[in-house]
Amino acid sequence: MLADYLEEDDILALLFTCHAMRTAMELYLYKHIVIPPYQRNRIHQVLRTLCARPDLARSTVSFNGYLSPAFYDNSFDAKAHDLSRPYWILRDRAQRIKAEKEVDAFEKILMTALGKMSNLRSLNLLGLDLDAWPRTLQLLREAVSRLHLTSLRVNNSAFDHLIPSTAHAIHPKELMHFIHQQPLLEHLSLPKGPAIIHNQQFRSTDIPLLRSLAATGSDAALIVPGRPVSSLTLFEDVSHGATDDLWRAVATSTAPLTHVTLRWTNWSGFALNLEAIAAHLRHLENLTLQNIWEGEDFDTVTASLRLLGRLRNLHLGFLYSYSPQPVTDYYVWDTLPEACPDIDRISFTRTRYSYSYYTFDG
């Protein structure tokens, strides 16, 4: 299709200038819906459009949006990216009554829109809080049970750094309801932070088609065994320090585990895991190490990389606070290729880190 080769701005221009192409361009624009948290107030407008245009709703394949009602407490000095305040803590009674009505309206259009998105296959449950929006979550669970999803993400997105940790509060039991309802899931991404599946009722027959997983080590050790997982992203999990046990567990995937991404916060953690990976994952071909602080002692991990005999692609994601360090360039372009000559492709990115945002540098 023509739209596959156009930028979004070009598609919008074509939509407004060519009447013959308008319908096709609209359907394409609504195929993948993304509403970042800092634009969460747009969720109402998007849902109303989907309710009024069933053709657009049927064209939607993936939805990544803030699924809780968005309200501000005017008496609270909120920063630009703070979460909206739940209506039941509004101090003014008139405001609270008005907000309750708006919540009712939001829940109605949310359920209607999801009911019309019959071809939805990918959903991100972003911004759900069981304590703040219990009824919304219950209704959403009922609506999702009628869908046939192949991809489910829970409070994970490219905008996680804009969301306070209090937003990651979906209850484990509620999450299990969503998982039990979707036997066709091939891709699952769970919240960062404390393990959410651990000690919950996870059945051996759940999600038998799972091919890719993003989770903590504790969750991965429970989910991967017996499933055809070939791609795994792990978040640092202090509760699962036995790295050898972890990788022994994920090695029991029924498909060769060929892609691994580690999002750790210390280089020694990478080194320990790479040794365990080399011992248990014989088919690993693609490895990504994220959140590496520039200035680390890179030699501690080079020896471990040599043990990964089948590794063909390596990507390193570096963080820096002030200015990039030349030692990183020397390591990536000189030391590492010489130490690991069997790796076909080595790439790296730098990300400037601050307390409030990330900016990409190359």
Side-chain angles (χ1 to χ4, degrees):
M1 185 178 178
L2 174 63
D4 292 330
Y5 302 95
L6 298 177
E7 300 291 337
E8 184 173 327
D9 290 342
D10 297 327
I11 295 175
L12 289 172
L14 188 60
L15 187 150
F16 288 114
T17 58
C18 181
H19 180 74
M21 296 290 292
R22 182 179 180 87
T23 299
M25 293 299 102
E26 282 183 331
L27 294 175
Y28 187 87
L29 284 175
Y30 277 83
K31 186 175 181 180
H32 302 286
I33 297 176
V34 179
I35 306 174
Y38 54 82
Q39 295 180 344
R40 59 187 174 276
N41 288 322
R42 292 182 56 206
I43 185 68
H44 300 267
Q45 180 182 356
V46 171
L47 292 176
R48 282 194 295 267
T49 300
L50 293 174
C51 291
R53 293 283 304 275
D55 58 327
L56 296 182
R58 286 192 297 270
S59 71
T60 302
V61 175
S62 67
F63 190 98
N64 185 342
Y66 199 82
L67 294 178
S68 292
F71 303 102
Y72 285 106
D73 178 2
N74 293 329
S75 64
F76 179 71
D77 185 18
K79 297 180 181 179
H81 298 313
D82 275 347
L83 286 178
S84 302
R85 308 284 291 215
Y87 70 86
W88 41 263
I89 66 171
L90 294 175
R91 296 186 179 94
D92 184 78
R93 182 174 181 274
Q95 283 186 333
R96 186 164 60 250
I97 292 175
K98 178 183 177 181
E100 288 175 356
K101 293 180 179 179
E102 293 182 0
V103 169
D104 291 339
F106 172 82
E107 291 173 343
K108 182 178 180 180
I109 62 172
L110 176 62
M111 297 306 107
T112 303
L114 284 174
K116 295 179 182 294
M117 288 189 277
S118 55
N119 293 314
L120 189 66
R121 295 295 177 264
S122 177
L123 179 64
N124 186 1
L125 300 176
L126 180 64
L128 294 181
D129 188 326
L130 181 67
D131 295 326
W133 314 110
R135 188 176 60 183
T136 301
L137 189 56
Q138 180 182 356
L139 293 172
L140 182 62
R141 188 178 71 189
E142 295 174 2
V144 171
S145 68
R146 295 188 287 271
L147 299 173
H148 303 286
L149 300 177
T150 58
S151 177
L152 178 64
R153 305 178 70 193
V154 184
N155 287 328
N156 280 336
S157 75
F159 315 103
D160 271 352
H161 54 284
L162 297 179
I163 308 173
S165 59
T166 53
H168 298 196
I170 185 169
H171 196 278
K173 290 183 179 179
E174 288 294 331
L175 175 61
M176 293 311 302
H177 283 301
F178 285 107
I179 291 178
H180 292 328
Q181 294 168 350
Q182 302 299 329
L184 300 180
L185 277 184
E186 297 179 5
H187 312 279
L188 177 63
S189 184
L190 297 178
K192 302 174 184 177
I196 198 168
I197 300 294
H198 191 54
N199 292 330
Q200 299 301 318
Q201 186 181 4
F202 188 73
R203 302 179 302 217
S204 60
T205 55
D206 286 333
I207 47 177
L209 305 179
L210 191 67
R211 294 191 292 115
S212 71
L213 173 67
T216 62
S218 297
D219 288 340
L222 290 173
I223 295 174
V224 172
R227 292 171 179 81
V229 177
S230 59
S231 177
L232 178 64
T233 297
L234 283 187
F235 310 124
E236 188 167 18
D237 180 6
V238 295
S239 67
H240 206 293
T243 56
D244 194 69
D245 292 341
L246 165 63
W247 293 109
R248 184 183 294 110
V250 301
T252 58
S253 167
T254 57
L257 194 53
T258 57
H259 293 68
V260 168
T261 297
L262 298 181
R263 294 183 177 178
W264 253 247
T265 55
N266 63 81
W267 196 244
S268 60
F270 286 125
L272 291 173
N273 276 272
L274 290 178
E275 293 176 8
I277 288 174
H280 298 289
L281 302 186
R282 306 293 185 183
H283 301 280
L284 186 65
E285 298 177 356
N286 301 275
L287 177 64
T288 297
L289 306 180
Q290 291 284 13
N291 302 337
I292 307 169
W293 285 102
E294 290 201 323
E296 293 279 5
D297 180 10
F298 299 128
D299 293 336
T300 59
V301 80
T302 303
S304 300
L305 286 172
R306 288 198 194 100
L307 300 176
L308 302 174
R310 288 178 173 265
L311 191 65
R312 294 296 174 262
N313 297 292
L314 174 65
H315 178 78
L316 306 174
F318 294 100
L319 296 175
Y320 69 93
S321 297
Y322 300 102
S323 61
Q325 298 193 15
V327 67
T328 303
D329 294 348
Y330 178 78
Y331 175 73
V332 172
W333 301 124
D334 293 279
T335 305
L336 191 56
E338 183 178 347
C340 306
D342 294 332
I343 299 179
D344 296 332
R345 184 173 184 270
I346 299 175
S347 60
F348 80 101
T349 55
R350 280 197 181 96
T351 305
R352 179 184 296 174
Y353 174 81
S354 77
Y355 292 105
S356 60
Y357 64 93
Y358 294 95
T359 57
F360 292 92
D361 207 38

